Amino acid sequence: MKNQEKKSPHWGILTELMFNSVKGEITEHAEYTVVQTPDSPDYYFGNLLLLERAPHNQDRPKLETDFGNLVGLPPLIKHRTFLWPVLEDSPVTLDAFIQAGYDFHESAVLIAQPADLIAPNQKNREITIRPYMHSADWSDWTAMKIAENAGHFPEREFLSHLSGLQAMYQKMIRDNQGNWWGAFVEDKQVANLGLFFTEESGRFQAIFTHPQYRNRGICRTLVHHVAEDAFRHAARLVMVADENHHAARLYESLGFQRQERMASLCWWPKADATE
């Protein structure tokens, strides 16, 4: 049974559910929080089971059965995703999932309040930063996402996922819940990120710099610029980054602090990735 005791918010999970609630459905089950996005069955993290804590090897058969019953089965839902907050007292034994082809991912949740923000040592003066204004901005966003995917996910499903994701972000922008920002060198989009809000918290999304423009301070400059603007009406800003990726250290250099962790297991039909 789900623990009914009131807990401190887990800002990584809380802000994640903000996106799920825009186009999807979030329902409480006796053992899980069930997230579904009927219009986007290929949105792996829009159709998932949110667990209270890390699963164990012996949980795999039950979790897969419950996922099918509560979230969906092929041919509509072709994947399985489980998400949970990482607790210090929760040892992880996931060999049975990994051997079955699941992708395990652990992320650091970094949080900053207005007084924490640190300006980059050297701002990039080459770029112009602005919110998305034109359909061409989103076309460039799509092209950059496709290049970044590079066959990792099945192409047909990935394009469907991107279309649904873009529609969700654009709806949130129309509803004044945030914006998508680009960094431009002349007319070329070289980096971008999203920042969206739930109550007094902001959550960054998908910070990306074009490979040819990395190591120029563009990402630091873009994040700091958008964070400064956001703190006019946000009590905290939340980042989620790969636990061991250099990006987490980059965000720490701007004053973001590792305060939480979250993890996921995701299985999808990888054999289709080359079609």
Side-chain angles (χ1 to χ4, degrees):
M1 295 289 290
K2 288 174 73 69
N3 189 346
Q4 300 301 312
E5 183 179 318
K6 187 174 178 59
K7 302 175 182 177
S8 299
H10 186 288
W11 296 109
I13 297 292
L14 188 65
T15 55
E16 187 77 18
L17 293 178
M18 166 180 62
F19 298 100
N20 298 132
S21 67
V22 174
K23 290 188 64 182
E25 303 166 359
I26 301 174
T27 56
E28 295 296 328
H29 183 266
E31 298 175 88
Y32 320 106
T33 298
V34 182
V35 176
Q36 295 172 282
T37 308
D39 292 344
S40 299
D42 298 310
Y43 182 11
Y44 295 170
F45 282 80
N47 297 277
L48 59 82
L49 290 182
L50 173 61
L51 316 180
E52 283 198 326
R53 53 182 52 84
H56 298 280
N57 285 330
Q58 63 268 27
D59 299 327
R60 182 185 150 214
K62 181 179 187 307
L63 284 175
E64 293 183 340
T65 298
D66 289 345
F67 185 93
N69 291 334
L70 297 170
V71 180
L73 292 165
L76 186 62
I77 302 293
K78 300 177 184 178
H79 70 278
R80 291 185 292 269
T81 303
F82 307 104
L83 176 70
W84 64 91
V86 174
L87 307 175
E88 295 302 330
D89 59 351
S90 297
V92 179
T93 53
L94 301 174
D95 306 53
F97 292 91
I98 305 303
Q99 291 168 11
Y102 281 82
D103 182 63
F104 171 68
H105 189 78
E106 186 166 300
S107 300
V109 180
L110 301 96
I111 300 173
Q113 295 178 326
D116 299 325
L117 193 63
I118 300 171
N121 290 332
Q122 188 171 359
K123 291 186 178 181
N124 183 291
R125 305 293 181 184
E126 184 183 13
I127 57 174
T128 299
I129 298 172
R130 63 165 173 81
Y132 276 17
M133 299 168 56
H134 314 293
S135 60
D137 296 336
W138 286 107
S139 295
D140 291 344
W141 176 87
T142 300
M144 293 164 85
K145 288 290 185 185
I146 291 171
E148 184 184 20
N149 178 53
H152 185 59
F153 296 113
E155 183 177 349
R156 187 185 309 110
E157 285 84 352
F158 186 70
L159 290 173
S160 173
H161 162 64
L162 282 184
S163 177
L165 208 58
Q166 180 176 320
M168 178 185 71
Y169 291 139
Q170 290 177 334
K171 180 182 187 304
M172 295 179 78
I173 291 169
R174 289 194 301 271
D175 292 342
N176 296 314
Q177 287 183 263
N179 224 324
W180 209 273
W181 296 74
F184 299 82
V185 174
E186 297 180 350
D187 293 328
K188 179 179 176 63
Q189 185 177 165
V190 299
N192 61 68
L193 60 79
L195 182 61
F196 296 91
F197 299 91
T198 174
E199 297 180 351
E200 295 183 346
S201 299
R203 168 73 179 267
F204 281 94
Q205 282 282 277
I207 300 168
F208 179 78
T209 305
H210 191 287
Q212 294 180 358
Y213 289 83
R214 291 174 184 168
N215 302 314
R216 300 190 191 183
I218 291 174
C219 182
R220 283 184 174 86
T221 303
L222 175 61
V223 170
H224 181 264
H225 177 94
V226 175
E228 270 196 319
D229 181 80
F231 274 134
R232 292 185 293 115
H233 51 87
R236 69 187 60 79
L237 297 178
V238 180
M239 292 268 196
V240 176
D242 189 297
E243 184 75 52
N244 299 308
H245 196 270
H246 67 85
R249 295 188 293 276
L250 183 154
Y251 307 142
E252 286 178 309
S253 75
L254 296 173
F256 286 80
Q257 302 170 28
R258 302 183 194 225
Q259 295 188 20
E260 303 167 346
R261 288 181 294 156
M262 50 196 286
S264 65
L265 284 163
C266 186
W267 180 92
W268 65 90
K270 299 175 182 65
D272 296 337
T274 57
E275 290 185 0

